[in-house]
Amino acid sequence: MTRTIPLPQAKVFTPSQQKSELPLSAIIIIPFVCQIFATVGLVGYLSVRSGREAVNNLIDKLMITAEKNIDHELESYLTIPHQINQVRFDDFQNGLLSLDNIDALYDHFWAQKQAFKSVSYVYMGSVNGGMIAAGQLPDGTLLIGGTDNFAAGDYNIYRANEQGDRVEPFKTLPDWTAENYAWFTKPRNAGQPTWGTPYKWTGRDVVAISAGRPVYAANGAFLGTVAVDLSLSDIGQFLEDIEISPSGSIFIVERTGELIATSTNSPVAITQNEETVRLKAEASQDQTVKRVAQALSESEPDWRQTSVITTFPLIINNQTHFVRLIPWSDRYGLDWQIVMVVPESDFMGQINQNFQRTIGLCLLALTVSIIIGILTARWIVHPILKLNQSAQDLAQGKWTTPIIAERNDEVGQLALSFKDMASQLQSSFELLEQRVQERTVELAGAKDVADRANQAKSEFLANMSHELRTPLNGILGYAQILLRDGTVAPKQKHSVGIIQRCGNHLLTLINDILDLSKIEARKLELTPRGFHFPAFLRGVQELTQVKADEKELTIINEFDPNLPEGILADEKRLGQILINLLGNAIKFTQEGQITFRVTNLVLSGESSAGVDRSSRTHRIRFEIQDSGVGISPEDMEKIFLPFEQVGDKRKKNEGTGLGLTISRQIITLMGGQLKASSAINEGSTFWFDLDMTEATDVHQIESSTHGMITGYGDAPQTVLIVDDKLENRAVLAGLLVPIGFEVIEAEHGREALDKIEAADHQIDLIITDLVMPEMNGFEFLQRVRQMEALKDIVAIASSASVFEADQFRSLDAGANGFLPKPIQADDLLKMLDQHLSLDWQYAVEELDTETSDSSQTDRQVKAIASLPKDILHELSELISMGDTDAIIEQAEHIQKNYPKANKFALHLKQLAEVCYMDELEALIRANLTAQLP
């Protein structure tokens, strides 16, 4: 019997799904419509664009043609006055004219005026201040006049006939002298032909300009100034005759902005309050000139001063105009600006009409396309809908549904293909179901393998942490015991201190690697709690100040006074970040200072006085700035990579290269971002911002300054130490017994329970390991809490495991606290004080003889000057390369060949053995300085 296997329901389209998607008819119609719309639109756009380009080219050509015509006309028109002056200059030079023959001068000037109709006046001022002139007013009145004897005095002007004869008096200007006029003095002072300043004729709206030239006798004596007045209204008439477009305009201005002429022949000067006033372009009575000048002043403030030909579009009254600025000047001092303006609308009318026709054709094409598309879609879609219904029946497992093929085209062939396919679907789905089941089994097995691998990795990390930290517990524990033992000699304490520093350095490396592993496995978790913020910052600074003091560096604290008193954060991780960044700053700074800056950037949640302080959030910026060696730009991206160290080779020996990587990851986990900036030999700055909630009910914990704990004043306390490692028990006993505790030891939980029952007095504290044979620490703690007599006893779990899960598990099992291994004496005593409330007794601080001896030794070493400089320089090079083996060999060489420097060599060897590169560098530098004369 054949089984019916329905297709997955996701393949069956419900009516609501069909309505939410585009119908097939729309899919057929839309491409046609879009294609035609895009084609017609593109053609229309290109047509308009081509039309605009053609208009721009046409306008540019028209402006260039007009520019050439204007330049030619101005050159021809404005050259005539100077040609007239040149003729008179030559006549005086050749003796044809003379100041002594005044009648000949009148005849000559009148002949010149009659010969050159374009000029208004031809005249001369003599060295004696006199005047002779012949001219014609704009209304056609002929004038001739002058002063008596060609000297200063009354200037009499007469009407004249065509022959130059005086007909009747016209006007008299009393006490007239040529010295009062610029047309006379300016050419004389310049010693060459010049133009005067355009001026308005009195009583007439005509602006004229005078061309003057000094005249000299054959012997070089100054005779006077010949001049010609030229009306500028003729320039306006010429401009009016030039047509660049129906609405185009041309006007000429001086560099000061005052009008010279316009193509509209509008006045360029007016009379106001009986005074002649020349108009600027912005105040022209012609609205086109006025608007163009105002628009130019707004868009191009320096348009009157431009010295190059410029063409650009300008928006005037929301319409585009093309403006061309043409500087024009001649050799006699004229410096004008010609402005041509052509509205774009003069040429765009036909183009706009073509564009509108294009839009109409586009709409018509769209309408036709939609109609044709609808008809075509109906013809195509109808049989497809029937086929779709048959496909849905097949999807629901209705294999016997008939599939009707009504056509012989592609749709009909598709229906026949469906018929053939239906018979194959059943067997295909049965095979598919079988393969899916097989694949599911394979994936389940693969998941189990991945889970086991992940579990193996976690177990490896836990075991690695335990195995590495357990021996370190013994090393660091006994180092602390010996350092706290008053019977140990100072010299041996110094050696023990080296062991402790090396052990702490190794512990730091292990912690860094484990932290990186946690981060990569996404197992690093933050444990926020409230703590006193200012005390925390001071503690961080104090921890790093010791290392800074060794290099004689200063750490400057700049703590914002607006910092909250308490914050909610992971104190341990935040301290880890800051100590790492400050440590790096100290490591790479040889001199100068380090700034530790903490700033409150943003305080939110204080909109009202009644807001709960616990809801306030502060954005705190932590910033560490140093004056060290700096980081190059190419190394800036490398410093955050794991195990990557850059910069000075000596510093690379002082860490794993994980500090910045871990700090950056922790800051990211806290919601911030570590940033850095640096410059070679100028220092570096690292900073990050964190949003922190303000915490209440936090108390400042002051660091103890009483000295080393030697005992306590209460009754003797008994401590049960449970650990399968003898050295671990010995470390705890060595730290507790000297200060008055009684210690009972057990190797595992079962033995500990037996000793508790056999004890003849009360046990006050239990310190237990977690991983032990027979009975582990978790089970032991649970059994202790189940005993009525011991349910309130203080129990502390101590383990080399660094995973928070083990810590929380121990607390859940009944521990009052967790003490990580390697055990630090200060942490142990602090926890005892917290849970037992002991009255500690402290030793009286004495002068550290080792330090004193060391300082004395340093002074003795620094005073040595018997070593050759080349040995000291060689040592300096070895230190810069970080080659400690070679430094030790050199120290042994000094001991053998320079007996007086034996202490120096011994100190050098000790520093090299513990890789104290900064101290080595300071030692060599001090000895080199001591040998300076």
Side-chain angles (χ1 to χ4, degrees):
M1 181 177 178
T2 304
R3 289 197 306 163
T4 300
I5 303 176
L7 287 174
Q9 292 301 314
K11 296 293 184 179
V12 180
F13 294 96
T14 64
S16 62
Q17 290 175 317
Q18 292 176 343
K19 291 180 181 179
S20 64
E21 298 179 358
L22 286 175
L24 183 60
S25 57
I27 295 176
I28 296 175
I29 295 171
I30 290 175
F32 287 104
V33 173
C34 292
Q35 181 180 6
I36 294 176
F37 180 81
T39 302
V40 177
L42 180 61
V43 171
Y45 167 75
L46 294 176
S47 175
V48 173
R49 181 178 176 182
S50 300
R52 288 184 180 275
E53 291 179 355
V55 166
N56 293 342
N57 293 334
L58 176 60
I59 292 174
D60 194 53
K61 291 179 180 179
L62 290 174
M63 285 185 170
I64 292 174
T65 302
E67 175 190 342
K68 292 180 180 179
N69 293 337
I70 294 172
D71 181 71
H72 175 73
E73 181 65 22
L74 290 178
E75 185 70 26
S76 302
Y77 185 67
L78 297 174
T79 301
I80 294 174
H82 291 285
Q83 291 176 345
I84 296 173
N85 289 336
Q86 180 66 44
V87 171
R88 289 185 287 174
F89 176 83
D90 293 340
D91 289 344
F92 275 102
Q93 287 282 307
N94 297 326
L96 299 177
L97 294 177
S98 173
L99 297 182
D100 296 333
N101 192 347
I102 297 175
D103 292 336
L105 289 175
Y106 274 113
D107 294 339
H108 179 76
F109 284 7
W110 182 258
Q112 283 190 322
K113 172 60 189 75
Q114 294 300 100
F116 298 95
K117 299 295 185 181
S118 61
V119 301
S120 301
Y121 264 84
V122 180
Y123 53 98
M124 177 179 180
S126 71
V127 69
N128 298 321
M131 172 78 168
I132 294 177
Q136 184 177 9
L137 295 178
D139 60 4
T141 302
L142 299 175
L143 301 175
I144 193 169
T147 59
D148 294 340
N149 299 321
F150 212 176
D154 293 343
Y155 175 34
N156 300 306
I157 304 173
Y158 300 91
R159 294 183 187 273
N161 56 22
E162 294 292 337
Q163 290 74 34
D165 299 326
R166 299 174 182 179
V167 176
E168 60 181 354
F170 179 76
K171 183 187 293 185
T172 298
L173 302 178
D175 298 326
W176 193 94
T177 176
E179 291 288 344
N180 294 334
Y181 296 92
W183 61 263
F184 176 81
T185 58
K186 185 176 178 181
R188 181 191 66 186
N189 297 336
Q192 62 184 7
T194 62
W195 286 102
T197 303
Y199 64 95
K200 179 180 177 296
W201 280 354
T202 304
R204 294 173 176 84
D205 293 334
V206 176
V207 175
I209 189 171
S210 60
R213 178 165 188 160
V215 177
Y216 303 94
N219 61 1
F222 176 71
L223 300 178
T225 298
V226 293
V228 176
D229 275 1
L230 190 66
S231 173
L232 299 181
S233 59
D234 292 341
I235 297 178
Q237 184 61 45
F238 169 73
L239 296 180
E240 185 179 2
D241 295 337
I242 296 178
E243 291 188 6
I244 52 178
S245 75
S247 303
S249 298
I250 306 173
F251 60 93
I252 304 175
V253 296
E254 292 189 85
R255 294 294 184 175
T256 59
E258 293 176 317
L259 285 167
I260 296 296
T262 69
S263 61
T264 59
N265 254 335
S266 61
V268 298
I270 60 175
T271 301
Q272 292 181 348
N273 299 327
E274 299 182 356
E275 292 185 3
T276 300
V277 177
R278 292 186 60 197
L279 296 176
K280 289 194 173 184
E282 289 86 346
S284 174
Q285 295 180 359
D286 183 270
Q287 293 301 313
T288 300
V289 174
K290 181 178 180 179
R291 286 194 295 266
V292 170
Q294 291 175 346
L296 280 172
S297 298
E298 292 176 359
S299 62
E300 302 287 339
D302 298 330
W303 66 275
R304 291 189 296 268
Q305 308 304 323
T306 182
S307 57
V308 295
I309 298 174
T310 308
T311 303
F312 53 90
L314 187 67
I315 304 300
I316 303 174
N317 290 343
N318 298 322
Q319 293 185 355
T320 302
H321 292 65
F322 291 94
V323 178
R324 187 176 182 87
L325 301 179
I326 307 168
W328 191 90
S329 60
D330 68 355
R331 64 181 181 276
Y332 300 114
L334 287 183
D335 190 9
W336 293 345
Q337 188 74 273
I338 302 172
V339 182
M340 283 191 283
V341 184
V342 177
E344 186 184 44
S345 58
D346 285 356
F347 300 90
M348 290 299 294
Q350 186 62 40
I351 293 176
N352 291 332
Q353 291 179 5
N354 292 337
F355 181 71
Q356 291 174 1
R357 284 195 294 268
T358 302
I359 295 297
L361 290 174
C362 182
L363 294 176
L364 179 61
L366 283 175
T367 303
V368 174
S369 299
I370 292 173
I371 295 173
I372 295 175
I374 291 174
L375 297 176
T376 304
R378 292 182 62 183
W379 181 76
I380 295 175
V381 170
H382 182 70
I384 293 178
L385 291 177
K386 290 184 177 181
L387 188 58
N388 179 52
Q389 183 62 47
S390 300
Q392 291 184 22
D393 293 339
L394 290 177
Q396 295 175 4
K398 300 177 182 179
W399 309 106
T400 59
T401 300
I403 300 175
I404 302 173
E406 299 175 344
R407 293 160 53 166
N408 296 323
D409 56 8
E410 289 81 356
V411 178
Q413 294 176 5
L414 179 60
L416 293 175
S417 298
F418 262 93
K419 285 183 178 182
D420 296 336
M421 183 181 63
S423 62
Q424 301 177 14
L425 283 176
Q426 289 176 296
S427 57
S428 298
F429 276 105
E430 289 176 357
L431 179 61
L432 177 62
E433 185 180 44
Q434 180 182 355
R435 291 182 178 178
V436 167
Q437 291 176 352
E438 293 174 355
R439 185 58 177 164
T440 301
V441 174
E442 292 176 1
L443 291 176
K447 181 178 182 301
D448 291 340
V449 172
D451 291 341
R452 288 196 297 271
N454 190 38
Q455 181 65 26
K457 179 180 179 182
S458 299
E459 292 176 359
F460 171 77
L461 289 175
N463 292 333
M464 179 65 69
S465 170
H466 189 276
E467 294 302 322
L468 291 176
R469 296 166 75 90
T470 297
L472 272 180
N473 185 50
I475 296 172
L476 293 177
Y478 274 105
Q480 293 176 91
I481 293 171
L482 291 173
L483 288 174
R484 300 171 68 87
D485 190 346
T487 63
V488 178
K491 185 174 182 180
Q492 280 70 32
K493 277 192 175 183
H494 177 71
S495 300
V496 174
I498 293 176
I499 294 174
Q500 186 185 33
R501 284 196 296 270
C502 293
N504 284 327
H505 182 63
L506 180 57
L507 178 61
T508 300
L509 301 184
I510 294 171
N511 288 336
D512 285 347
I513 294 173
L514 292 175
D515 282 344
L516 183 63
S517 299
K518 288 182 184 180
I519 292 170
E520 291 177 347
R522 301 183 183 273
K523 291 187 177 181
L524 183 66
E525 298 178 354
L526 300 178
T527 309
R529 69 176 187 88
F531 59 91
H532 193 272
F533 195 34
F536 164 78
L537 294 177
R538 288 195 299 271
V540 170
Q541 190 270 335
E542 290 171 1
L543 286 174
T544 54
Q545 185 63 54
V546 176
K547 188 67 175 177
D549 291 341
E550 294 177 359
K551 299 181 70 173
E552 299 181 355
L553 298 175
T554 301
I555 298 181
I556 298 176
N557 296 328
E558 295 184 4
F559 298 156
D560 193 333
N562 294 321
L563 292 176
E565 183 177 357
I567 61 171
L568 185 66
D570 190 324
E571 181 180 9
K572 174 185 174 183
R573 294 302 180 184
L574 183 58
Q576 177 183 355
I577 295 167
L578 296 176
I579 291 172
N580 183 279
L581 294 178
L582 284 168
N584 280 348
I586 295 170
K587 182 193 303 182
F588 293 100
T589 303
Q590 301 303 320
E591 58 183 11
Q593 65 186 28
I594 297 164
T595 301
F596 181 23
R597 187 178 296 113
V598 184
T599 309
N600 192 348
L601 298 179
V602 177
L603 177 61
S604 63
E606 279 194 324
S607 58
S608 63
V611 174
D612 185 5
R613 288 179 57 195
S614 62
S615 65
R616 292 190 298 185
T617 300
H618 303 258
R619 175 159 292 179
I620 308 297
R621 169 165 293 181
F622 301 87
E623 184 176 359
I624 290 89
Q625 181 179 5
D626 63 60
S627 58
V629 297
I631 306 170
S632 64
E634 58 270 18
D635 289 337
M636 185 60 72
E637 292 300 323
K638 299 179 182 178
I639 61 175
F640 296 111
L641 298 177
F643 305 104
E644 186 71 38
Q645 294 176 301
V646 299
D648 193 342
K649 185 177 181 180
R650 292 170 295 169
K651 308 301 179 187
K652 296 182 180 182
N653 299 322
E654 300 182 21
T656 61
L658 292 175
L660 283 177
T661 303
I662 294 172
S663 297
R664 189 183 198 183
Q665 295 287 353
I666 296 175
I667 291 171
T668 302
L669 192 60
M670 290 180 169
Q673 184 179 1
L674 180 59
K675 300 180 181 179
S677 63
S678 183
I680 293 295
N681 299 325
E682 294 183 10
S684 304
T685 302
F686 288 81
W687 73 94
F688 59 95
D689 300 340
L690 295 178
D691 290 335
M692 296 182 169
T693 303
E694 183 171 349
T696 56
D697 298 329
V698 295
H699 303 284
Q700 180 175 0
I701 300 176
E702 299 292 346
S703 59
S704 174
T705 59
H706 299 291
M708 187 174 68
I709 295 174
T710 59
Y712 54 92
D714 304 284
Q717 304 279 323
T718 301
V719 180
L720 172 60
I721 301 175
V722 187
D723 199 310
D724 60 325
K725 302 292 185 182
L726 174 61
E727 57 270 24
N728 291 342
R729 301 196 305 272
V731 166
L732 285 169
L735 291 172
L736 295 176
V737 170
I739 59 177
F741 287 93
E742 296 181 5
V743 172
I744 300 174
E745 299 183 18
E747 292 187 8
H748 49 75
R750 192 173 302 281
E751 181 183 355
L753 290 175
D754 294 340
K755 289 193 175 183
I756 290 174
E757 294 179 357
D760 56 358
H761 59 278
Q762 178 184 349
I763 295 177
D764 301 286
L765 175 69
I766 297 174
I767 302 177
T768 179
D769 189 20
L770 296 179
V771 181
M772 297 178 293
E774 295 289 333
M775 182 184 292
N776 60 36
F778 302 107
E779 184 180 352
F780 169 66
L781 287 170
Q782 291 174 349
R783 296 282 296 274
V784 167
R785 293 309 176 200
Q786 292 172 0
M787 301 172 65
E788 184 65 26
L790 299 177
K791 66 178 183 179
D792 295 327
I793 192 172
V794 177
I796 297 175
S798 178
S799 175
S801 174
V802 295
F803 290 102
E804 286 82 355
D806 291 339
Q807 299 180 21
F808 294 146
R809 186 181 172 193
S810 66
L811 295 177
D812 291 341
N816 297 96
F818 184 86
L819 189 64
K821 295 176 183 177
I823 293 174
Q824 301 294 329
D826 291 339
D827 294 339
L828 172 64
L829 296 176
K830 186 184 297 183
M831 188 165 291
L832 295 180
D833 181 63
Q834 178 183 355
H835 293 288
L836 299 180
S837 301
L838 300 173
D839 183 15
W840 295 116
Q841 295 175 351
Y842 300 91
V844 178
E845 293 187 355
E846 298 180 356
L847 180 64
D848 189 346
T849 57
E850 176 65 23
T851 302
S852 177
D853 292 344
S854 177
S855 301
Q856 183 178 0
T857 301
D858 289 344
R859 290 193 296 270
Q860 293 173 352
V861 169
K862 290 181 180 179
I864 295 174
S866 60
L867 287 176
K869 284 188 177 180
D870 57 345
I871 292 181
L872 294 176
H873 284 299
E874 184 178 353
L875 283 170
S876 179
E877 293 178 0
L878 293 175
I879 292 171
S880 66
M881 294 186 294
D883 193 344
T884 55
D885 292 337
I887 296 171
I888 294 173
E889 291 180 4
Q890 188 66 272
E892 293 173 350
H893 172 74
I894 294 173
Q895 285 180 308
K896 184 182 298 184
N897 296 285
Y898 301 94
K900 292 184 179 181
N902 183 62
K903 290 185 178 180
F904 168 78
L906 180 61
H907 191 50
L908 183 71
K909 188 175 180 181
Q910 291 173 343
L911 293 176
E913 287 173 346
V914 293
C915 301
Y916 276 18
M917 307 308 293
D918 289 340
E919 287 76 359
L920 283 169
E921 184 179 5
L923 178 63
I924 298 303
R925 185 169 59 246
N927 279 274
L928 285 172
T929 305
Q931 290 196 9
L932 292 175

